[in-house]
Each structure stands twice: as C-alpha cells, then as structure tokens.
Amino acid sequence: MLYRERVPARQAGAELVLLHGWGATSDCWRSALPLLRQHFNVTLIDLPGHGASRDHNADLDAFIDQLMQQMPARAVYLGWSLGGMLATSIAARYPERVAALITVASNASFVEREDWQAAMPLKTFHDFVARFEANPARGLKRFDLLQNAASASQLGNASIQRALLEWLRQMDNRAALRGLQCPALLLFGAEDALVPQACVANVNALNPSLKTRLLAGGGHRLFESSTENFWREVIGFCREHALLSETTEHHLDKRRVAHSFSKAAKSYDSVADLQRRVADTLATRLADVECGVALDLGCGTGYSLPRLSGCAQRVIAMDLAEGMLTYARSLEGRDAQGWVCGDAEDLPLADDSVDQVFSSLAVQWCENIAAVFAEAYRVMRPGGEMLVSTLGPDTLFELREAGRAADNSTHVNRFLARDELERGIALSGLTLVAWQEAQEILEYQHLRELMGELKNLGAHNVNSDRAGGLMGKQALRRFMTAYESYRNERGLLPASYQVWYLHLKKKSDSNG
C-alpha cells in the first residue's frame, strides 16, 4: 500500500505535495516541516519500495494514476531528483491538479540520449545498476558517495527499488516541459555529480518561460547542501505566484497562553478541583499493561505524572508554559524522566518514539487541532494509544452570553466544535476508539469568585481579539445583570463545562 502522510498547516494553508528521490524516503523533508507548515498543508509520499510504503506496483503510469487518487484536488508539487521527474509527469498528465511545479536536481532526462547529452552517461548508469543488483547495500553506499552524503540512502524493497531505477532510465520529460501550463521553478546545484549543470541551458531552451536557478555550492541533495538559499527560492517563488496562505485569522495568542499559565503555576493547584477530577477520570482509561514511553502532553503542574509513572517505564512531561514545568519539577512525587517545553502542534520528539500520549484539558489551547493529532500520530509507535480530555464549545456558555450582552466582545476562549475535532482525527490517520461526553457544573456565590478562579488557573481570556482594558461601568453592569439571570434555585451562579473524553489509537500496521 502506498504510504501517504498529511501534515496540516499551523492555520488554514495551501496544499503542498513532496516527492523524494530514489534511495531516499519522505524523512528527507522533515527538518523543513516547521517552516513549510507556516504556509502549507504538507503531503509526504514514500515511493514504492522506499520507506514505509508497501506498494509493489512498479508500473510508472499505474503508480501515477494511483497516487493522484489520494492527492489534494489541487496542489503545489515539489519533487527532488526522481521525485521531480514524477512531479513533472504529473503536471503534464493532470494539469488541472497542479497549481505549480518545483523540481530539485531533476533533469529532463536522467540518462543521456542521442539528442540530450547533458545527462548521466548511459554506461555509468548501467554500471551502477549492475552494482546495485549484485549487492544492494553496497550499491547504495556508492550512490551516497556520488551525492556527497554519508549514509543518506536507505535500503527498502531491493527488487522494487531496482524497478524504479528503470523509471529513471525510461523517463523523458522534454515534451512535458515544453507544454507545461503552470508556473514552474527548476532548481539545480552547481556541484551536483549526478545532474550536470550544462543541462540548465538545455532546459531553458525547451521552454523559456521556465524559471531556473543554479545554486552555488549545491550538490544533488540541494535542500541540505544549500539549505537557506534553497528554501528562500522556494518560498519566494510561491509568494511571487500567490501560492501561500498568509492572511489567516488567528484566534489564540500562543505567547499569551504560555505567559498566562506560567504566571499561574503556583496558584493553579489551589483552584484546580475540576481539572484534577477530569484528569482522574481520564486516567481510568489507562491500560493495565505497562508501556515503554508515555508522554504527558500539557502536563501543567504534573498532577498526572504519578499515575503515568505507574504504567510506563519512562515518562516525558511536556508543556507550552515553561513556568508550569519549572514549578512541577519542584514538587515532591511529580517525577518524569524528561521535561520538555514544547507546542503540541509541533512536537520536538522523534518519529515513532512514544507508546502512550496522555493529555488532560490541554489541547483546547491549540487552534490547529489537526496538527495536534497529526503530530501525535507521527511520534506514536504503531499500536500506540492517545487519551485526551478537552472542552467543547458549550463550556462557560453563561460567561460568553453575559459578555455578549455587556459589549458584544469576546470574553471567553473559543472551544472547537466536535466536527472540527473529528475532521482533525480523520486527517491524522488516528482511529477513534471511543468518545464520551460529561457535563460538569461548578457553582459560586459571587461572580468575582469564578473570575478569580479562572485567573488563578491561568485560563482567563487569551483570544487575540479580546477587548483591551477593563469594562466601562455600564458594560460591567450589563455583564453582571446578564450573568445573574443564570442564578439557580439554590441561589448559586453556575459555570458549565462540556468535557469530552477521547480514546484514539494508531494502527499496528501503520503503513495503511
């Protein structure tokens, strides 16, 4: 089965498909994902016989047709080496699906032809194929030497990789480049030992509208040897052709979230009865069998760390707020083997490194929930599980409605709707095992008690469009009057919380 991974943009983004070269995997792009996710929803592909793909279809045309069944309706295609040649073929066959084409160290023809001499000599190519057939591991080492990259290539399914070498020999994209209908950027390295720089002039002659760049000092792995210049060219090209999404509305101010919770670290536990109760309920879903590595995502003051330590060999405590982590480490009994300040939307953890993700009342502070689930999927090992508690949009509805009556401003943090969470789960590849809902209602004598509690939790309004300054006297009067209308038969003011408990799983066969 073809391996496809989708990495959502931090906010709504354009679509970008990345295709790697022969002997590599989609991992070659991972170091660039933090940059790319600022603008794009990124789709990563492992070619047949490479990386996590279990696709044994070595027919080129059939592969392209199969691939396009799973790709976005319209996207920018960026391909390196063989991936660039595939992207060019896709642009020729599916012009309505390709918004722009970017190729990297990718010739019109990888091997020389009678009328295309600026390419790899056919004898050199056949010698390499013979080496690979005789000893695939040694063949890859030879390939790495040609790329000037130590141990960059990976041996996958050798027979399928051999078949893809035949793609390199057969493909001739000259006609495709002549007839290209979309904006195109072709990047080459001046020090590339596999694609001679003389081909740049030949490519320009095929189609003068193509934009070509020869990067000084760049080798075949151009995105590594000339990283800064490479991505500057890519982003600049996309910006020139209005292919970036840069005007997204941001509702959450992450810096304010981190500052607010850091400031509230010492007061948090004194008012966190609800938070502890929800964490305890979520912890009842932990498996009885001990796992290897557990991640407490949004650990706060570390309340759940003892429970996680009892069911995992190693626990990583992570939070966006550095002040929370510092305070948690100072408390007796709240131990972890790793303390990490990080964002759930961009986890600073290796792929397939975690068995269990536990996150109680944290992910509601993330705006791009699809990125949260995609990152959890990435770091979880096959068969891993994720337990999440979060808040639904009916949370603190009394406070929200009172704010609207006061001055029609945003006074309550936005909580994502169920369909947004479900869409994020579906995009991530995680499987939803269970979804349960509970309603919690806290009661107060006076409104100032609720407002003070939210402040001590660090959970007061951190929306980017919150009203600045204090309410005026008339607005405050309207606010209090509106909230008083919710006072119940016991004479108390309610504050409602819509709590969702999610159990998610990464399939044991993660290549599906």
Side-chain angles (χ1 to χ4, degrees), residues 409-454:
S409 295
T410 302
H411 292 277
V412 179
N413 297 305
R414 291 180 174 86
F415 301 105
L416 297 178
R418 176 164 181 156
D419 63 344
E420 293 179 89
L421 270 71
E422 289 177 332
R423 186 161 53 249
I425 294 168
L427 287 172
S428 72
L430 292 170
T431 299
L432 178 62
V433 178
W435 184 310
Q436 294 178 312
E437 179 172 328
Q439 186 183 41
E440 296 273 356
I441 300 178
L442 306 185
E443 296 178 325
Y444 305 87
Q445 286 283 353
H446 304 287
L447 184 56
R448 63 176 177 271
E449 296 172 0
L450 167 61
M451 304 307 291
E453 184 174 292
L454 293 175

Side-chain angles (χ1 to χ4, degrees), residues 2 57 59-71 89-90 93-94 97:
L2 177 69
N57 187 354
D59 180 272
L60 176 58
D61 291 337
F63 167 73
I64 291 177
D65 291 337
Q66 175 196 7
L67 177 71
M68 296 310 291
Q69 292 175 16
Q70 303 181 49
M71 291 302 97
S89 296
I90 289 168
R93 290 176 55 179
Y94 293 89
R97 303 279 301 275

Side-chain angles (χ1 to χ4, degrees), residues 137-344:
R138 287 186 180 179
L140 284 177
K141 287 184 179 180
R142 171 63 178 165
F143 189 57
D144 285 340
L145 288 174
L146 292 172
Q147 298 183 85
N148 194 26
S151 302
S153 302
Q154 295 185 28
L155 183 61
N157 183 313
S159 64
I160 302 300
Q161 287 183 312
R162 167 63 183 89
L164 266 60
L165 284 173
E166 190 64 18
W167 291 6
L168 276 173
R169 188 190 68 81
Q170 291 178 350
M171 294 180 74
D172 183 353
N173 279 330
R174 286 177 290 177
L177 290 171
R178 286 193 193 100
L180 209 59
Q181 299 178 28
C182 63
L185 172 66
L186 283 63
L187 297 171
F188 300 91
E191 307 300 325
D192 191 340
L194 298 176
V195 178
Q197 61 175 284
C199 78
V200 178
N202 292 359
V203 167
N204 282 327
L206 290 174
N207 186 342
S209 69
L210 300 175
K211 183 175 183 179
T212 58
R213 288 286 186 269
L214 183 66
L215 301 189
H220 192 63
R221 298 176 71 91
L222 196 54
F223 46 88
E224 293 178 350
S225 54
S226 298
T227 304
E228 187 175 342
N229 288 339
F230 174 82
W231 290 114
R232 184 186 298 116
E233 290 284 352
V234 170
I235 297 300
F237 170 78
C238 292
R239 184 170 286 119
E240 175 186 349
H241 292 281
L243 299 167
L244 302 184
S245 297
E246 302 199 74
T247 57
T248 306
E249 181 182 5
H250 293 260
H251 294 304
L252 278 178
D253 184 336
K254 282 291 188 73
R255 289 175 299 179
R256 185 174 173 84
V257 171
H259 174 75
S260 180
F261 279 102
S262 288
K263 189 176 179 181
K266 293 183 180 179
S267 61
Y268 184 91
D269 285 342
S270 66
V271 290
D273 290 343
L274 170 66
Q275 286 70 21
R276 287 191 289 270
R277 188 159 62 249
V278 170
D280 287 341
T281 301
L282 186 65
T284 63
R285 293 156 171 81
L286 289 169
D288 294 331
V289 180
E290 185 181 63
C291 71
V293 178
L295 170 65
D296 190 346
L297 184 58
C299 65
T301 61
Y303 173 75
S304 296
L305 291 177
R307 294 289 297 270
L308 290 171
S309 295
C311 62
Q313 298 171 11
R314 183 169 183 263
V315 178
I316 300 171
M318 183 181 297
D319 203 277
L320 181 67
E322 189 171 356
M324 280 286 190
L325 290 171
T326 300
Y327 183 69
R329 295 184 74 169
S330 72
L331 298 178
E332 185 177 352
R334 299 189 182 181
D335 300 321
Q337 286 68 53
W339 298 87
V340 181
C341 186
D343 188 343

Side-chain angles (χ1 to χ4, degrees), residues 351-510:
D351 297 357
D352 301 328
S353 60
V354 172
D355 300 286
Q356 176 96 52
V357 177
F358 180 93
S359 183
S360 186
L361 296 185
V363 301
Q364 67 268 15
W365 303 107
C366 297
E367 195 160 33
N368 187 350
I369 196 64
V372 174
F373 292 131
E375 280 292 273
Y377 181 93
R378 178 182 66 79
V379 304
M380 286 164 59
R381 295 189 177 106
E385 297 187 333
M386 183 179 191
L387 296 175
V388 177
S389 63
T390 189
L391 300 176
D394 289 341
T395 297
L396 296 176
F397 77 87
E398 304 95 342
L399 193 60
R400 182 180 65 245
E401 295 304 314
R404 286 177 178 170
D407 54 14
N408 204 32
S409 295
T410 302
H411 292 277
V412 179
N413 297 305
R414 291 180 174 86
F415 301 105
L416 297 178
R418 176 164 181 156
D419 63 344
E420 293 179 89
L421 270 71
E422 289 177 332
R423 186 161 53 249
I425 294 168
L427 287 172
S428 72
L430 292 170
T431 299
L432 178 62
V433 178
W435 184 310
Q436 294 178 312
E437 179 172 328
Q439 186 183 41
E440 296 273 356
I441 300 178
L442 306 185
E443 296 178 325
Y444 305 87
Q445 286 283 353
H446 304 287
L447 184 56
R448 63 176 177 271
E449 296 172 0
L450 167 61
M451 304 307 291
E453 184 174 292
L454 293 175
K455 181 178 180 180
N456 287 332
L457 287 168
H460 51 296
N461 187 11
V462 292
N463 282 298
S464 58
D465 59 348
R466 65 194 180 279
L470 300 175
M471 283 186 186
K473 289 184 179 179
Q474 291 185 351
L476 181 59
R477 189 177 298 114
R478 290 194 296 270
F479 179 77
M480 296 182 69
T481 299
Y483 209 108
E484 280 291 329
S485 68
Y486 293 104
R487 196 175 284 275
N488 60 29
E489 64 278 3
R490 291 186 300 280
L492 299 173
L493 293 174
S496 300
Y497 288 82
Q498 182 182 25
V499 185
W500 286 333
Y501 297 95
L502 284 65
H503 180 188
L504 308 168
K505 189 176 180 66
K506 181 174 180 176
K507 291 181 181 178
S508 296
D509 179 13
S510 61

Side-chain angles (χ1 to χ4, degrees), residues 92-115:
R93 290 176 55 179
Y94 293 89
E96 74 286 355
R97 303 279 301 275
V98 181
L101 171 69
I102 303 171
T103 67
V104 185
S106 185
N107 207 336
S109 172
F110 186 75
V111 298
E112 66 180 6
R113 301 177 188 275
E114 185 175 347
D115 50 352

